[in-house]
Amino acid sequence: MSPRALVAAAAERLRLAGVASPEHDAAELLAHVLGTTRGRLPLLEDVAPPARATYDALVERRAAREPLQHLTGVAWFRHVELAVGPGVFVPRPETELLAGWAIDRAREAGERPVVVDLCTGSGAIAKAVADEVPDAVVHAVELDEAAYPWAVRNLTGTGVDLRQGDLATAFDDLLGTVDVVVSNPPYVPLEAWESVAVEARDHDPHLALFSGDDGLDAIRTLAVRASDLLRPGGVVGVEHADVQGESAPAVFAAQGSWEEVRDHRDLSDRPRFVTARRTLRGSRSGE
């Protein structure tokens, strides 16, 4: 049976199951089974029965809404490859914009910029910064005991200082010295449970998804901790839900340590992340 016919049949199966990107996922799964890339599938004439059986089993799991990345074991994020699977949040393409912002700000900070990634999860943002700003001193922290080993796996050999701990208390040794703080924290309101995509709701760790009744609990903590970590004039960038385009910036505006608070939209023109600059004077601690 040809790859084209296999992918077409699988894509229809995934479409009926409600998968958002059926053609892409069907092709990606077949490429994974055959050890090739989607672009090279048309060069193949036939798929042997054992490979077809393996493919059919993976398509069945994807139709049950198991994340594609869990089935392949890999997620791409900007220019880096990440190992992912059960227990760790699968990085989304939208977060690449936040990572790009952090990379640009690190480059502007001069030699040996200090960057902290709070709630690193798989290590996606930290690894991207280390990859694209080789002279940066990158630190990352993750609380979840299930996610932390994935971050260890992805950040080993990158030079990133990875620690396990709470974003609210992490990096006491860096207070007042950081140039860029970046985070993709949990931000889904508990009341929005039913609206979360099946792949995320049933397979991503809830510690990485939900953050209080309004989804802003972690962001409130971040606004305080980032103000302590950053040097005066340092910057913070935090992802949020598309319905938090006003409420997330309001957290930073009300905290008292921030100026230049502004929100940024993603490629679909939806509110996606907030950035702010640490004031040159004043802080939570009253410095």
Side-chain angles (χ1 to χ4, degrees):
M1 193 170 186
S2 73
R4 181 176 181 179
L6 273 176
V7 168
E12 180 60 20
R13 186 173 174 185
L14 296 181
R15 184 180 297 105
L16 293 174
V19 173
S21 51
E23 291 83 4
H24 170 276
D25 290 14
E28 193 67 34
L29 285 174
L30 185 57
H32 170 69
V33 169
L34 298 178
T36 186
T37 64
R38 293 199 317 274
R40 296 187 64 84
L41 287 177
L43 302 179
L44 304 177
E45 294 183 358
D46 187 49
V47 179
R52 292 205 300 269
T54 300
Y55 180 58
D56 185 67
L58 288 176
V59 171
E60 182 176 357
R61 291 170 64 185
R62 184 67 187 103
R65 306 298 290 276
E66 190 169 344
L68 172 68
Q69 296 86 351
H70 284 197
L71 301 177
T72 64
V74 172
W76 285 95
F77 188 81
R78 290 182 67 89
H79 306 297
V80 299
E81 181 180 339
L82 300 161
V84 295
V88 70
F89 182 80
V90 175
R92 280 22 177 202
E94 295 88 347
T95 307
E96 294 185 11
L97 296 176
L98 173 62
W101 172 89
I103 287 163
D104 289 342
R105 300 296 81 75
R107 287 170 174 162
E108 294 171 357
E111 295 183 4
R112 303 286 290 170
V114 179
V115 180
V116 167
D117 177 14
L118 299 174
C119 307
T120 196
S122 65
I125 295 177
K127 188 171 184 177
V129 173
D131 175 64
E132 297 183 52
V133 193
D135 66 332
V137 180
V138 184
H139 306 266
V141 67
E142 174 55 43
L143 176 63
D144 194 329
E145 292 185 358
Y148 181 73
W150 290 102
V152 171
R153 180 174 174 180
N154 288 316
L155 295 177
T156 295
T158 65
V160 174
D161 166 32
L162 172 65
R163 309 183 196 183
Q164 187 170 10
D166 192 328
L167 73 90
T169 56
F171 304 116
D172 274 346
D173 53 318
L174 300 178
L175 297 178
T177 68
V178 178
D179 297 296
V180 181
V181 170
V182 62
S183 181
N184 180 15
Y187 51 70
V188 178
L190 289 172
E191 64 185 20
W193 167 268
E194 292 296 336
S195 67
V196 177
V198 175
E199 288 85 347
R201 188 187 67 209
D202 293 351
H203 296 280
D204 279 332
H206 288 181
L207 188 62
L209 292 176
F210 300 100
S211 189
D213 291 341
D214 62 1
L216 295 171
D217 284 1
I219 292 177
R220 292 187 184 96
T221 301
L222 269 160
V224 174
R225 192 55 177 172
S227 73
D228 290 338
L229 290 171
L230 288 168
R231 60 170 175 77
V235 293
V236 62
V238 179
E239 184 167 320
H240 59 68
D242 54 12
V243 296
Q244 296 166 338
E246 295 183 359
S247 57
V251 169
F252 285 86
Q255 198 273 332
S257 298
W258 305 103
E259 58 189 11
E260 299 177 26
V261 178
R262 60 172 297 226
D263 207 58
H264 304 254
R265 293 179 172 267
D266 61 21
L267 296 178
S268 299
D269 198 34
R270 296 172 299 184
R272 183 53 55 196
F273 65 96
V274 57
T275 62
R277 185 175 300 277
R278 173 74 157 73
T279 57
L280 296 178
R281 59 184 177 82
S283 76
R284 180 179 70 97
S285 304
E287 69 177 40

